Amino acid sequence: MTGIAEGVEVDGGCLCGALRYRLTGPTRRVVQCCCKDCQKATGTGHTTIIAVHRDQLALDGTPRTFTNVGETGGKVTRHFCGECAGRIYTSGDLPGDIILVQSGSLDDPNVISPEAVIYMKEAVAWDRFDPDLPRFEAMHTRV
């Protein structure tokens, strides 16, 4: 198990339930990201994200957004609940039609498992990763 198979649907949402979604596979990639922005946005050492085409996410509710400029110079927008601040997904200029869904927002996060770790150059010393996962110093081209 790594991602969500083609045609399989999974549900998720924010902490308070104001935002709900259905994600339809297949996933492109599931990675743990250790970049400074993900650390700040999650308040921990890394986040686990699921890369899918934006058409694969059906969202009920209207998220709030926050946009900043990422390391690569493109705009990065985080989509989250305006009530509980639960993050749902991230979009941006450079991945274009690919969005990054927060795995912790899935109703059952155990349906996925990470395939790689990215931005190891910014990983905090106390964070731990599966030793069998490939690790990349920055963005991996397959995300």
Side-chain angles (χ1 to χ4, degrees), residues 84-98:
C84 69
R87 282 187 48 214
I88 302 298
Y89 71 97
T90 302
S91 62
D93 289 342
L94 298 179
D97 288 334
I98 302 302

Side-chain angles (χ1 to χ4, degrees), residues 1-2 4 35 51 68 80-81 88 102 113 117 121 133 136:
M1 167 187 55
T2 53
I4 300 163
C35 79
N68 68 321
F80 57 93
C81 177
I88 302 298
Q102 296 295 134
S113 59
V117 184
K121 68 182 181 180
L133 291 178
F136 301 92

Side-chain angles (χ1 to χ4, degrees), residues 50-68:
I50 306 162
V52 296
H53 190 275
R54 73 174 54 253
D55 293 342
Q56 292 173 258
L57 182 73
L59 183 64
D60 292 326
T62 304
R64 300 269 320 262
T65 61
F66 174 77
T67 302
N68 68 321

Side-chain angles (χ1 to χ4, degrees), residues 23-36:
L23 178 63
T24 304
T27 52
R28 293 176 52 97
R29 194 92 163 135
V30 180
V31 298
Q32 293 174 310
C33 182
C34 303
C35 79
K36 293 287 186 197

Side-chain angles (χ1 to χ4, degrees), residues 61-118:
T62 304
R64 300 269 320 262
T65 61
F66 174 77
T67 302
N68 68 321
V69 176
E71 178 186 278
T72 57
K75 290 181 182 173
V76 178
T77 301
R78 288 170 178 78
H79 305 255
F80 57 93
C81 177
E83 294 297 315
C84 69
R87 282 187 48 214
I88 302 298
Y89 71 97
T90 302
S91 62
D93 289 342
L94 298 179
D97 288 334
I98 302 302
I99 61 171
L100 307 170
V101 177
Q102 296 295 134
S103 67
S105 69
L106 291 169
D107 289 348
D108 180 8
N110 287 308
V111 299
I112 58 94
S113 59
E115 302 166 37
V117 184
I118 60 174

